[in-house]
C-alpha cells in the first residue's frame, strides 16, 4: 500500500498512517510505524463518522489468501482495500459547553433522566453499590435494561440488595450480578479485572462510585492509608486494568465531591507521604477532601490521555451531606447526617448526576469535565493545574508499581 507525502492540508494524514472504518461507521486511524490505532485524526484530533452501509453495488469481503478486508465495486468490476464510505466521512463536531441547554438539575432523579431510554445490550460496572448512591445507580440502570456488575466486597449485602430490587422489578434483578472487589487491596483489583475480561468484551459505563469517609487512621493490606487507597488509588489501578474493554462508545464516571475544594494538598511537596499520610498527621475529614481532589485530578488527566481513543471521562459531585452509609464510621457524622437529612437530596436525586454523565447524549465528545446537579461546574483552581494532575498520575503509578513488586 502506498501513502501520500506529507502536506500542508490539515486533514491530510501523516506518512505511515491509514484511515479505516468500522462496520458501524466510526472512522479510526492506523499508525503502521507504532502498530497502534486511535479514534481521533492524528492532525486535527477530530472524530469522524461515515454512513453505516456501503454504497449501492459495493460488497465487503475477506480476501482468501491474505485475510485482509477488500471492497468490491460490482458496478465497475473493481476491487480495492479502501472503504468507499471514507470519501464521505463527516467530522463529529464536539459540543460547546456554553451552547448545551440544561435539561436537569439538583431536584431531578436518576429515573427521570433515564425516562424513555432502552439500555438493553449495555453493560455497566458500578463499584460500591450494595447501598446508598451506588445502589440507586445500579438499580436505575437495571430498570432500563442495562446489565450491571455490582463490584462490591460484601456478597451477602449485595445479594440482599439484588433481592430488594427484584421485589420492585423482577426483570431488573436478573440483570444485576455480584463480582467480588475489595478496594483495600490492589490484588483484588487484579483478580476482579481478570474475571471481567474472561466474561465480557466491552464496558459501556465504568462508574467509580465506592468511597469511605470519616475513617480512623487505618492501613490497608498494601500498607497505605485506607481513605486514599479506596477513594483514589485502587480506582486508578482498576481503570487501567480494564482499559482494553473500553472504546469510543464507553464512558468513565468518577464520583468526587465539592469537598475537593477544601483539600490541603499542594503542588510543592506533593509526594507519596502527603497522599498516604502517617497517623501523626492524619485528619479523617482532610483525608477525604484530599482523596476527592485526587478524583477530579485523575478524571481530568485520564480524559486528556485517552482523548484520542474517544473515551469520555467525567468527575461529578452527587450532593451535599446525602444520607448514605459513608457516615457510618463515626457517631458524630451519623448524628450530623441524620440532622440535615430533611434538607438534602434523596438517594435517587443524588444518583442523578452519575446517571447523567453515563448516558446523556449531549455529552458525547466531551471529556475531563466536572459536573454538579446534572450540569457543568467549574472545579477548584488546584484541580485544573496540569502539573498537579501529571504529578499525581506519576506518583500513583509509582505507588502501584512498588506495591505489586513487593
Amino acid at each position: 500500500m502506498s501513502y501520500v507525502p506529507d502536506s500542508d492540508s490539515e486533514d491530510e494524514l501523516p506518512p505511515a498512517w491509514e484511515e479505516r472504518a468500522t462496520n458501524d461507521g466510526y472512522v479510526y486511524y492506523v499508525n503502521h510505524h507504532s502498530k497502534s490505532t486511535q479514534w481521533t485524526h492524528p492532525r486535527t484530533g477530530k472524530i469522524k463518522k461515515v454512513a453505516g452501509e456501503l454504497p449501492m453495488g459495493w460488497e465487503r469481503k475477506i480476501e482468501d489468501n491474505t485475510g485482509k478486508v477488500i471492497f468490491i465495486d460490482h458496478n465497475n468490476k473493481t476491487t480495492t482495500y479502501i472503504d468507499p464510505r471514507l470519501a464521505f466521512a463527516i467530522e463529529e463536531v464536539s459540543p460547546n459547553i456554553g451552547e448545551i441547554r440544561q435539561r436537569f438539575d439538583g431536584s431531578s432523579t436518576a429515573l427521570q433522566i433515564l425516562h424513555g431510554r432502552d439500555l438493553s445490550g449495555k453493560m455497566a460496572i458500578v463499584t460500591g453499590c450494595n447501598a446508598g448512591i451506588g445502589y440507586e445507580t445500579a438499580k436505575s440502570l437495571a430498570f432500563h435494561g442495562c446489565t450491571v456488575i455490582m463490584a462490591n466486597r460484601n456478597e451477602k449485602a449485595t445479594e440482599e440488595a439484588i433481592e430488594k430490587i427484584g421485589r420492585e422489578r423482577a426483570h431488573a434483578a436478573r440483570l444485576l450480578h455480584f463480582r467480588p472487589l475489595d478496594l483495600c487491596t490492589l490484588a483484588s483489583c487484579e483478580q476482579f479485572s481478570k474475571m471481567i475480561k474472561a466474561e465480557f468484551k466491552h464496558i459501556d459505563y465504568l462508574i467509580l462510585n465506592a468511597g469511605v469517609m470519616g475513617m480512623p487512621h487505618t492501613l490497608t493490606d498494601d500498607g497505605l492509608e485506607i481513605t486514599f487507597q479506596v477513594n483514589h488509588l485502587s480506582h486508578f489501578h482498576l481503570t487501567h486494568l480494564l482499559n482494553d474493554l473500553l472504546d469510543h462508545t464507553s464512558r468513565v464516571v468518577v464520583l468526587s465531591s465539592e469537598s475537593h475544594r477544601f483539600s490541603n494538598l499542594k503542588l510543592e511537596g506533593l509526594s507519596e507521604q502527603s497522599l498516604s499520610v502517617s497517623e501523626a498527621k492524619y485528619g479523617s475529614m482532610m483525608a477525604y477532601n484530599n482523596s476527592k481532589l485526587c478524583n477530579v485530578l485523575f478524571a481530568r488527566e485520564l480524559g486528556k490521555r485517552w482523548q484520542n481513543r474517544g473515551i469520555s471521562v467525567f468527575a461529578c459531585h452527587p450532593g451535599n451531606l446525602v444520607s448514605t452509609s459513608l457516615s457510618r464510621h463515626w457517631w458524630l457524622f451519623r448524628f450530623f447526617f441524620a440532622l440535615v437529612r430533611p434538607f438534602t437530596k434523596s438517594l435517587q436525586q443524588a444518583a442523578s448526576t452519575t446517571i447523567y454523565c453515563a448516558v446523556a447524549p449531549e455529552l458525547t465528545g466531551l471529556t475531563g469535565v466536572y459536573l454538579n446537579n446534572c450540569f457543568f461546574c467549574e472545579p477548584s483552581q488546584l484541580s485544573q493545574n496540569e502539573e498537579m494532575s501529571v504529578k499525581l498520575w506519576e506518583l500513583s503509578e509509582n505507588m502501584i508499581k512498588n506495591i505489586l513488586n513487593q
Side-chain angles (χ1 to χ4, degrees):
M1 185 174 293
S2 61
Y3 300 92
V4 295
D6 200 2
S7 84
D8 292 332
S9 170
E10 186 184 48
D11 198 49
E12 197 75 70
L13 288 172
W17 285 83
E18 180 189 353
E19 193 175 48
R20 296 180 185 171
T22 61
N23 287 339
D24 61 354
Y26 278 94
V27 177
Y28 66 100
Y29 301 88
V30 181
N31 183 337
H32 290 282
H33 278 330
S34 63
K35 310 291 187 205
S36 61
T37 62
Q38 62 186 57
W39 294 102
T40 54
H41 191 286
R43 275 209 172 108
T44 67
K46 302 288 187 181
I47 293 177
K48 288 184 178 182
K49 283 197 75 175
V50 297
E53 297 181 359
L54 292 170
M56 188 72 70
W58 283 83
E59 181 186 3
R60 180 183 184 274
K61 290 186 69 175
I62 304 296
E63 197 171 37
D64 293 334
N65 58 333
T66 66
K68 292 183 178 180
V69 176
I70 59 172
F71 299 90
I72 303 170
D73 180 358
H74 291 289
N75 296 326
N76 297 309
K77 306 271 190 302
T78 57
T79 300
T80 179
Y81 290 119
I82 300 173
D83 190 327
R85 298 176 299 169
L86 292 171
F88 307 101
I90 298 173
E91 284 185 353
E92 283 199 325
V93 179
S94 296
N96 185 324
I97 289 177
E99 297 174 355
I100 294 177
R101 179 177 62 87
Q102 183 169 2
R103 297 191 293 131
F104 304 102
D105 56 29
S107 64
S108 302
T109 66
L111 288 171
Q112 285 174 337
I113 289 167
L114 287 167
H115 180 71
R117 296 293 299 267
D118 181 7
L119 301 181
S120 300
K122 302 289 187 183
M123 189 277 239
I125 292 176
V126 186
T127 65
C129 58
N130 60 285
I133 297 169
Y135 170 85
E136 293 297 331
T137 300
K139 180 182 82 171
S140 301
L141 291 170
F143 273 13
H144 286 263
C146 183
T147 296
V148 181
I149 302 302
M150 301 178 77
N152 298 322
R153 182 173 53 179
N154 190 325
E155 182 173 7
K156 184 175 184 293
T158 305
E159 294 302 336
E160 289 173 355
I162 293 173
E163 185 180 337
K164 182 181 175 182
I165 292 170
R167 290 196 292 271
E168 289 190 63
R169 296 189 190 178
H171 83 276
R174 293 192 290 270
L175 296 169
L176 296 163
H177 308 281
F178 167 76
R179 294 294 181 270
L181 174 65
D182 183 356
L183 293 169
C184 290
T185 165
L186 297 182
S188 179
C189 297
E190 305 244 334
Q191 292 161 5
F192 175 84
S193 68
K194 288 177 183 176
M195 194 180 308
I196 295 301
K197 288 179 179 180
E199 294 183 74
F200 301 96
K201 300 300 182 188
H202 183 258
I203 299 168
D204 294 281
Y205 316 120
L206 177 58
I207 299 175
L208 307 176
N209 168 84
V212 294
M213 183 184 77
M215 297 283 288
H217 187 271
T218 308
L219 294 182
T220 66
D221 291 344
D222 293 330
L224 298 176
E225 190 278 311
I226 192 170
T227 305
F228 168 74
Q229 176 156 2
V230 170
N231 291 7
H232 167 67
L233 194 69
S234 288
H235 277 142
F236 178 96
H237 188 46
L238 181 67
T239 303
H240 285 85
L241 290 170
L242 295 172
N243 100 87
D244 291 344
L245 303 187
L246 302 167
D247 67 11
H248 60 289
T249 64
S250 305
R251 293 188 183 183
V252 179
V253 184
V254 186
L255 265 74
S256 180
S257 168
E258 283 289 276
S259 296
H260 84 274
R261 300 183 190 278
F262 306 105
S263 167
N264 66 359
L265 292 176
K266 293 180 171 55
L267 177 58
E268 300 79 17
L270 186 66
S271 65
E272 295 182 18
Q273 290 70 37
S274 66
L275 292 169
S276 180
V277 298
S278 65
E279 186 171 6
K281 297 181 179 179
Y282 181 76
S284 61
M285 199 63 227
M286 190 55 69
Y288 180 76
N289 296 347
N290 290 346
S291 71
K292 295 293 104 179
L293 174 63
C294 290
N295 293 153
V296 182
L297 289 165
F298 168 51
R300 187 177 182 84
E301 186 67 15
L302 184 68
K304 184 172 70 175
R305 294 187 183 222
W306 282 6
Q307 190 166 19
N308 66 350
R309 297 177 59 194
I311 299 171
S312 291
V313 184
F314 305 105
C316 69
H317 170 62
N320 295 317
L321 301 173
V322 178
S323 181
T324 73
S325 58
L326 260 183
S327 60
R328 67 189 180 275
H329 297 292
W330 191 22
W331 70 268
L332 185 59
F333 280 139
R334 293 197 300 273
F335 173 75
F336 187 56
F337 273 62
L339 194 66
V340 301
R341 185 172 185 175
F343 312 102
T344 61
K345 290 182 179 182
S346 69
L347 290 173
Q348 257 291 306
Q349 290 171 328
S352 63
T353 305
T354 303
I355 293 294
Y356 180 76
C357 289
V359 306
E362 60 266 34
L363 299 184
T364 301
L366 292 175
T367 192
V369 294
Y370 176 72
L371 294 95
N372 182 8
N373 292 326
C374 300
F375 205 59
F376 308 106
C377 177
E378 185 174 355
S380 69
Q381 288 299 309
L382 188 59
S383 72
Q384 299 178 59
N385 186 300
E386 289 192 17
E387 285 184 72
M388 187 83 164
S389 63
V390 170
K391 191 166 184 180
L392 174 66
W393 186 283
E394 292 172 349
L395 287 168
S396 299
E397 285 185 326
N398 193 57
M399 294 169 85
I400 290 168
K401 180 181 177 182
N402 289 339
I403 291 168
L404 296 179
N405 287 340
Q406 286 176 358

